[in-house]
């Protein structure tokens, strides 16, 4: 069986202004695998995910996603359609948004977009995923009234409605109470199998990654090492 | 005189139409200001308007032209400047504000232009609206409503979480910058209408009341418009009939809206429990 790379990175140098965070980093992520990346706070884990998402451009090196070279801002924006992203849990702002609408956002660029309203198919996809993540009963509640664990489920739901083959998770279980942590870990394992996803998860606590990943790398001094 | 006698007079008709348009359109941007933490932006824009007026007077143009130009340029620059300096948009606003205020005073002092003429711009009055100004307010109100209608989902995402929107492929910065420009224009126009000191009543308070009870962005926008119209038109009507200053009446009407919304929100929460 030949292995197919979904993400390939060579000699990546990146950072913010003069502050270099990643130095000559190499990484290959294989289709279907669940990769965990550990590393101290400030090691550059979130930065690495944002590079794969094309939210930041590298200073040097090359990166491909699903075989496409990320060499222009157009391609970077385009490839975001192939990636589901669960950012680090943030405190929601003042704006009221229902669980349904928050999950529906994941269909932007996939089903609806500029001058194209969400279709019935978009709505159905949301209903289907809400059922899968066990949030159907809260479909019309406001996101900012939910618990941390529930907000994380909504965020995972938003990534799933994108129907993208790659899923990036930034500290998915870190800032939750113990019960919710177990729930989220189980959910991630279940959706990965059901949707046949390739996962990249990051956490500053390697224990969180142990049960979810097939392989764990350590981000240190701007590079990835075997653990 | 009764309210109907006032409505028969063209001067007051213009005030009513201006109040209605401002309430229906311009107050929607309060939702943007509150969600993007831009509450300092109005101070920033006022100071920049002052700087624009100063420069304009030195060059021999009417102060209003310079003030408006300053507001447009500043609201176009606000977003990109914040990105460049890696600062919150609200924080870059403070920088703008102090910088331009200092410069304005320098110009007033060095060029010897009468500062009071520039400051006079800031005491707007809804009863002094010209027909042209009513058209400007109307055009801006239509533009704002159209933008919210056409880009509802994208605006919802940007206001919910800008970085998340960007990660989904939405050109979030562009949308935020467009909203900043509209906000600047709305503030500039409102300065002409109600004056600088009462600007919050026109652009902020309706949205504040709306956000305290709305359950979606759509609801917040609709309620902002309703509260905006009620406080502006109601305030103007009240000021005519009881011979109150119009700015003060509009402000008090808007404060009343916020109080009523808060009480309503409290009652709903108590009943739900
Ligand atoms: N937007 C930014 N601007 C400047 N520096 C940043 C920015 N984001 C992160 N950094 C810096 O980059 C380094 C790596 O950050 P990050 O990728 O968030 O680390 P991690 O996710 O591993 O905790 C840190 O030193 C952080 O201070
Ligand atoms: Mg991080």
């Amino acid at each position: 069986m030949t292995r197919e790379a979904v993400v390939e990175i060579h000699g990546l140098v990146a950072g913010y202004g003069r502050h270099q965070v990643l130095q000559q980093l190499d990484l290959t992520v294989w289709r279907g695998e669940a990769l965990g990346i550990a590393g101290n706070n400030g090691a550059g884990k979130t930065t690495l995910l944002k590079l794969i998402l094309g939210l930041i451009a590298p200073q040097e090196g090359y990166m491909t996603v699903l075989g496409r070279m990320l060499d222009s801002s157009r391609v970077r924006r385009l490839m975001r359609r192939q990636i589901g992203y669960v950012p680090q849990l943030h405190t929601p702002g003042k704006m009221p948004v229902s669980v349904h609408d928050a999950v529906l956002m994941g269909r932007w660029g996939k089903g609806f977009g500029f001058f194209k309203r969400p279709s019935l198919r978009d709505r159905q996809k949301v209903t289907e995923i809400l059922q899968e993540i066990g949030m159907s009963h809260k479909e019309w509640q406001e996101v900012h009234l939910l618990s941390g664990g529930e907000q994380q489920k909504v965020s995972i739901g938003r990534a799933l409605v994108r129907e993208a083959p790659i899923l990036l998770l930034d500290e998915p279980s870190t800032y939750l109470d113990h019960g919710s942590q177990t729930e989220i870990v189980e959910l991630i394992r279940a959706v990965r199998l059901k949707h046949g996803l390739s996962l990249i998860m990051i956490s500053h606590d390697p224990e969180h990654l142990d049960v979810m990943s097939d392989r764990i790398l350590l981000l240190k001094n701007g590079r990835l090492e075997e653990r | 005189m009764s309210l109907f006698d006032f409505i028969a007079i063209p001067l007051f008709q213009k005030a009513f139409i201006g109040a209605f348009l401002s309430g229906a359109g311009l107050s929607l941007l309060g939702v943007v200001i509150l969600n993007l933490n831009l509450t300092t932006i109005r101070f920033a824009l006022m100071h920049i308007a002052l700087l624009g007026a100063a420069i304009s007077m030195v060059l021999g143009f009417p102060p209003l032209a310079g003030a408006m130009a300053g507001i447009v340029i500043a609201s176009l620059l606000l977003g990109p400047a914040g990105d460049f300096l890696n600062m919150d948009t609200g924080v870059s606003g403070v920088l703008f504000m102090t910088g331009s205020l200092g410069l304005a005073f320098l110009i007033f002092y060095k060029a010897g232009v009468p500062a009071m003429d520039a400051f006079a711009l800031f005491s707007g009055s809804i009863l002094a609206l010209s027909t042209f100004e009513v058209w400007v307010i109307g055009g801006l109100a239509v533009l704002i409503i159209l933008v919210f209608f056409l880009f509802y989902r994208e605006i919802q995402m940007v206001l919910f979480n800008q970085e998340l929107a960007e990660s989904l492929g939405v050109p979030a910065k562009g949308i935020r910058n467009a909203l900043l420009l509209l906000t600047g224009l709305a503030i500039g126009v409102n300065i002409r209408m109600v004056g600088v000191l009462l600007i919050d009543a026109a652009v902020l308070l309706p949205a504040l009341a709306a956000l305290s009870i709305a359950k979606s962005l759509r609801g917040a926008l609709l309620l902002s418009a309703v509260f905006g119209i009620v406080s502006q038109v109601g305030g103007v009507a009240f000021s005519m009939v009881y011979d109150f200053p119009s700015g003060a009446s509009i402000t008090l009407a808007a404060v009343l809206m916020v109080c009523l919304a808060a009480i309503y929100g409290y009652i709903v929460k108590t009943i739900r429990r």
Side-chain angles (χ1 to χ4, degrees):
Chain A
M1 202 181 85
T2 53
R3 291 200 294 179
E4 185 195 345
V6 288
V7 173
E8 264 196 287
I9 299 176
H10 284 290
L12 182 73
V13 178
Y16 305 91
R18 242 175 266 158
H19 173 43
Q20 281 190 357
V21 179
L22 304 177
Q23 318 255 7
Q24 295 294 329
L25 179 139
D26 298 322
L27 170 68
T28 307
V29 184
W30 304 105
R31 182 174 291 279
E33 83 166 323
L35 172 69
I37 295 176
N40 291 335
N41 276 326
K45 304 181 297 297
T46 300
T47 305
L48 179 59
L49 289 193
K50 286 183 181 169
L51 280 153
I52 296 171
L53 262 171
L55 289 174
I56 330 176
Q59 292 162 358
E60 269 176 54
Y62 84 82
M63 322 178 37
T64 66
V65 170
L66 299 173
R68 282 287 296 268
M69 186 91 81
L70 300 186
D71 53 5
S72 71
S73 55
R74 195 186 62 83
V75 178
R76 278 192 282 272
R77 198 174 283 279
L78 194 72
M79 292 317 284
R80 272 176 224 164
R81 292 187 197 169
Q82 306 300 328
I83 302 175
Y85 175 44
V86 178
Q88 194 168 313
L89 201 60
H90 72 282
T91 338
K94 303 168 202 105
M95 202 184 62
V97 170
S98 67
V99 167
H100 177 97
D101 277 13
V103 171
L104 181 65
M105 289 174 185
R107 298 289 299 170
W108 199 91
K110 275 293 204 180
F112 71 103
F114 279 128
F115 303 110
K116 196 162 158 230
R117 296 183 172 240
S119 64
L120 194 62
R121 160 126 182 70
D122 292 325
R123 305 281 186 181
Q124 280 167 348
K125 191 75 206 166
V126 170
T127 314
E128 180 192 315
I129 293 295
L130 282 176
Q131 217 143 41
E132 188 180 333
I133 62 174
M135 287 294 289
S136 297
H137 60 299
K138 301 225 164 157
E139 183 164 3
W140 300 106
Q141 280 213 8
E142 290 155 65
V143 174
H144 70 267
L145 301 176
L146 301 178
S147 73
E150 289 169 329
Q151 284 179 23
Q152 199 64 292
K153 282 188 193 172
V154 168
S155 191
I156 292 172
R158 182 187 305 119
L160 290 178
V161 295
R162 262 179 119 53
E163 301 179 289
I166 303 170
L167 181 59
L168 309 182
L169 300 128
D170 194 342
E171 310 267 3
S173 59
T174 307
Y175 302 99
L176 304 175
D177 60 83
H178 194 73
S180 313
Q181 271 181 5
T182 322
E183 242 184 299
I184 292 294
V185 168
E186 280 313 312
L187 180 63
I188 292 172
R189 290 216 284 205
V191 300
R192 174 198 169 193
L193 292 178
K194 178 151 189 277
H195 299 269
L197 302 170
S198 313
L199 300 192
I200 306 176
M201 279 164 290
I202 61 179
S203 177
H204 67 264
D205 184 350
E207 269 182 44
H208 284 279
L209 297 174
D210 272 340
V211 278
M212 292 187 281
S213 0
D214 309 330
R215 176 164 73 113
I216 297 182
L217 297 173
L218 183 67
L219 182 57
K220 205 173 160 187
N221 303 325
R223 291 163 186 246
L224 288 166
E225 335 177 322
E226 301 284 336
R227 206 165 53 116
Chain B
M1 285 213 290
S2 81
L3 192 55
F4 292 102
D5 298 325
F6 280 109
I7 291 176
I9 304 169
L11 177 79
F12 295 114
Q13 282 169 6
K14 272 185 268 178
F16 272 113
I17 296 170
F20 179 85
L21 292 171
S22 166
L26 278 51
S27 61
L28 301 188
L29 289 164
V31 174
V32 172
I33 296 177
L34 288 172
N35 276 297
L36 294 182
N37 284 327
L38 293 173
T39 38
T40 54
I41 190 185
R42 60 200 194 283
F43 294 121
L45 290 177
M46 285 168 210
H47 292 94
I48 289 159
L50 192 67
L51 176 62
I55 293 173
S56 184
M57 285 158 80
V58 170
L59 299 177
F61 292 110
L64 182 61
M68 276 317 213
I71 283 180
V72 170
I73 293 169
S75 36
L76 279 173
L77 287 179
L78 212 55
D83 292 336
F84 179 72
L85 299 169
N86 201 1
M87 274 195 282
D88 194 56
T89 314
V91 179
S92 63
V94 174
L95 197 73
F96 260 109
M97 171 168 105
T98 39
S100 51
L101 188 62
L103 261 177
F105 277 112
L106 197 80
I107 292 172
F108 285 137
Y109 180 77
K110 278 290 174 197
V113 293
M116 280 339 267
D117 285 5
F119 280 109
L121 286 178
F122 293 160
S123 56
S125 166
I126 199 157
L127 291 177
L129 288 179
S130 69
T131 307
F132 174 71
E133 283 169 330
V134 173
W135 277 107
V136 170
I137 297 166
L140 186 58
V142 169
L143 179 67
I144 291 167
I145 292 169
L146 202 65
V147 165
F148 274 104
F149 183 75
L150 289 178
F151 302 105
Y152 177 76
R153 290 285 161 191
E154 290 77 17
I155 293 173
Q156 182 194 43
M157 287 187 225
V158 170
L159 296 185
F160 181 63
N161 184 337
Q162 193 179 318
E163 194 169 74
L164 180 75
E166 195 69 54
S167 80
L168 292 167
V170 177
K173 278 182 186 164
I175 289 173
R176 182 206 56 191
N177 292 345
L179 289 173
L180 286 176
L181 176 62
L182 285 179
T183 304
L185 291 173
I187 287 178
V189 166
N190 265 301
I191 289 179
R192 279 305 286 165
M193 282 185 67
V194 292
V196 105
L197 292 175
L198 302 173
I199 191 93
D200 286 352
V203 277
L204 220 51
L205 296 189
L208 195 63
L211 278 170
S212 72
I213 50 180
K215 297 184 126 177
S216 67
L217 176 61
R218 190 174 282 121
L221 293 172
L222 282 174
L223 283 173
S224 283
V226 170
F227 292 150
I229 291 169
V230 170
S231 60
Q232 295 240 19
V233 176
V236 171
F238 189 87
S239 77
M240 287 173 187
V241 175
Y242 295 98
D243 190 24
F244 267 45
S246 57
S249 307
I250 293 173
T251 307
L252 289 177
V255 169
L256 189 69
M257 295 284 125
V258 175
C259 293
L260 290 178
I263 292 169
Y264 173 84
Y266 179 78
I267 292 172
V268 169
K269 220 194 282 168
T270 319
I271 291 174
R272 258 200 223 142
R273 235 181 248 140

